[in-house]
Amino acid sequence: MVSPMKSFNVTDSDSIPAIGLGTWKAKSGTVGKAVTTALNIGYRHIDCASIYNNQKEIGNAITKCLDGGTVKRENLWVTSKLWNNAHAARHVRPALERTLKDLNLQYLDLYLIHWPVHFRANITFPKGADGFIAEEEIPVMETWTAMEKLVKKGLIRFIGVCNFSLRRLKKLQEQAHIKPVMNQIELHPYLQQQPMLDYCESHDIQITAYSPLGSPDRPANLKKADEPSLLQNPVIWKIAREKAISPAQLLLSWALHRKTIVIPKSVNPTRLRKNFEAQELTLSPEQMELINTLDLNHRFIDGSFFQGSGSPYTTEDIWA
Ligand code: A2P
């Protein structure tokens, strides 16, 4: 039985499915099966990025599901992201075209600037200072204008950003001809970012919550020794037990009650189904309030991998 689909409006006539499948960290050999399983369960939103290095396998799975009639293209929402080494205007279209080729799609529903950090072309991840480009050298409007052209060409339906601080988002919102419809940011009870939610709500910008479960499968170099665990938090456990649901379902339901889109990653069929069913749950105002007390302003993905080795970027500046 396929659950009813929750969605949020991106315009008066377009909506985005509220639960999407996250594909960061989903490895080759498993990601295609996860996409196929998810689409069969009823997911209609797949969140991708070129840097996840798995778009070809995702594309094959999507193609088979489209060809087999599991889903129609117009009922599927596919997001992808422009990597940091393609922010100069001349690199934007070729980067999108590679992504479309990998995903085997004619158009994307949403294309996002992945980070407000620039790398030199062809450098996937810089090892030294010469691999970075300072933020001022490529003004965001250079990248954005190139993306706007791709909307006009029909290659992308909507454009947005990820990991933009309020300061950057406000500046973009003021300057953009085609307004951003999305900021995809890390969001969970330990990092609630209420001012960002308030700003986006008042400017018709949707928010996608990434790492909603605290990304326990992050690579070791993105983990710190004394980090709090979301899935093992005693308050989360207590409420989940009372409701006879899993802690993960509770975290996803909390995100949906805040009207944020949420993209849990899973490659496990049982968890894919359970996560999708989280959209049917209702939390009481008291349960929401209790979870709201857990905020620690703690980032699991803190951007520290962009600093050091002569990089012009610091975490303070990225999030300021
Ligand atoms: P798996 O892919 O084996 O299901 P995030 O979306 O915050 O990045 O978290 C992804 C991590 O959470 C993965 O390790 C994933 O493992 C795990 N996960 C996904 N769904 C659930 C769930 N319902 N219960 C527990 N762990 C989950």
Side-chain angles (χ1 to χ4, degrees):
M1 161 71 188
V2 170
S3 306
M5 180 95 59
K6 220 183 178 54
S7 60
F8 296 122
N9 285 353
V10 286
T11 65
D12 290 344
S13 52
D14 293 283
S15 62
I16 174 168
I19 292 198
L21 175 66
T23 63
W24 177 42
K25 309 176 259 80
K27 295 190 178 60
S28 298
T30 60
V31 69
K33 283 190 202 124
V35 168
T36 305
T37 306
L39 292 175
N40 278 305
I41 288 170
Y43 284 75
R44 291 294 177 265
H45 171 179
I46 313 288
D47 183 82
C48 313
S50 62
I51 193 63
Y52 303 161
N53 213 15
N54 55 11
Q55 293 195 131
K56 273 193 187 159
E57 190 171 325
I58 294 171
N60 284 336
I62 292 177
T63 302
K64 283 197 185 126
C65 288
L66 291 173
D67 291 349
T70 309
V71 59
K72 291 197 174 99
R73 178 65 188 92
E74 59 270 29
N75 297 330
L76 178 64
W77 183 285
V78 182
T79 297
S80 189
K81 312 185 190 92
L82 179 71
W83 186 235
N84 304 348
N85 58 8
H87 287 178
R90 68 186 185 285
H91 296 312
V92 174
R93 182 168 182 154
L96 173 73
E97 283 173 344
R98 277 194 299 279
T99 275
L100 288 174
K101 186 162 179 277
D102 286 348
L103 289 169
N104 197 21
L105 295 175
Q106 303 298 313
Y107 68 90
L108 285 180
D109 296 278
L110 180 62
Y111 201 37
L112 306 173
I113 298 178
H114 205 152
W115 285 92
V117 168
H118 317 310
F119 299 164
R120 296 219 171 271
N122 300 321
I123 296 204
T124 306
F125 214 102
K127 294 203 169 52
D130 56 355
F132 290 92
I133 299 174
E135 188 174 8
E136 327 62 88
E137 281 187 45
I138 308 179
V140 67
M141 281 311 294
E142 175 176 336
T143 313
W144 194 256
T145 305
M147 289 168 67
E148 289 177 337
K149 285 188 185 145
L150 300 174
V151 174
K152 289 179 190 142
K153 294 265 177 220
L155 297 173
I156 319 171
R157 294 178 63 219
F158 298 101
I159 46 181
V161 293
C162 304
N163 299 303
F164 266 41
S165 62
L166 260 181
R167 175 173 63 86
R168 286 192 180 81
L169 187 60
K170 282 179 183 169
K171 190 172 145 197
L172 176 62
Q173 168 77 13
E174 281 159 20
Q175 296 181 358
H177 177 61
I178 298 179
K179 301 292 178 195
V181 300
M182 182 70 67
N183 192 12
Q184 182 177 130
I185 54 176
E186 180 181 339
L187 274 187
H188 43 69
Y190 292 159
L191 183 69
Q192 300 188 16
Q193 308 212 49
Q194 192 58 48
M196 178 68 81
L197 265 67
D198 295 341
Y199 174 81
C200 288
E201 191 181 357
S202 61
H203 289 81
D204 295 324
I205 300 172
Q206 291 290 347
I207 292 189
T208 299
Y210 76 67
S211 298
L213 309 177
S215 273
D217 58 342
R218 265 166 300 141
N221 65 335
L222 298 187
K223 286 189 174 170
K224 296 187 193 81
D226 52 352
E227 279 189 319
S229 162
L230 256 182
L231 285 168
Q232 281 161 23
N233 179 282
V235 173
I236 299 294
W237 266 82
K238 181 172 168 291
I239 303 174
R241 204 175 309 117
E242 277 166 20
K243 294 188 67 68
I245 60 175
S246 70
Q249 286 182 309
L250 179 62
L251 292 168
L252 299 176
S253 179
W254 174 83
L256 296 174
H257 278 71
R258 300 179 87 209
K259 299 194 173 67
T260 58
I261 294 135
V262 68
I263 48 167
K265 172 264 176 184
S266 182
V267 293
N268 173 298
T270 307
R271 292 198 279 268
L272 281 167
R273 183 173 288 281
K274 289 276 170 209
N275 293 350
F276 193 65
E277 286 169 357
Q279 61 191 314
E280 294 165 16
L281 303 170
T282 305
L283 302 182
S284 68
E286 294 74 25
Q287 287 165 333
M288 287 299 289
E289 270 309 306
L290 200 53
I291 301 173
N292 292 348
T293 63
L294 299 179
D295 203 357
L296 298 172
N297 199 25
H298 177 80
R299 287 181 192 279
F300 291 110
I301 314 301
D302 66 2
S304 53
F305 38 85
F306 292 131
Q307 59 183 14
S309 315
S311 161
Y313 295 94
T314 64
T315 52
E316 289 75 19
D317 184 57
I318 289 173
W319 306 120

